[in-house]
Amino acid sequence: MFLTMIPVNPSAIRAVGYDGYTLTVEFHSGRIYDHPGVPHSVYVEFMNAPSPGTYYNRYIRGRYR
């Protein structure tokens, strides 16, 4: 299955994809991280955060693997 990535601006994050279970985050460095088990509510908060990079570091990174 092909996942549609949504650009995120302005942010250290280039694009984000979500299939209802796994959050995929692509950084400007080219690194891509998959985070399985991310609830839809966390995805919505992440996408609406004033700073997606800060939200990612506080609430996603290290919590979902």
Side-chain angles (χ1 to χ4, degrees), residues 8-10 42-56 59:
V8 180
N9 292 312
V42 171
Y43 167 71
V44 170
E45 288 176 3
F46 173 56
M47 294 303 289
N48 290 314
S51 172
T54 299
Y55 188 94
Y56 176 84
Y59 302 108

Side-chain angles (χ1 to χ4, degrees), residues 17-64:
Y18 184 67
D19 67 3
Y21 179 75
T22 299
L23 178 70
T24 300
V25 181
E26 178 183 3
F27 289 87
H28 286 285
S29 67
R31 292 184 184 254
I32 298 173
Y33 295 95
D34 288 326
H35 299 282
V38 173
H40 185 260
S41 59
V42 171
Y43 167 71
V44 170
E45 288 176 3
F46 173 56
M47 294 303 289
N48 290 314
S51 172
T54 299
Y55 188 94
Y56 176 84
N57 285 327
R58 284 188 185 157
Y59 302 108
I60 297 170
R61 187 173 130 202
R63 293 181 186 232
Y64 301 96

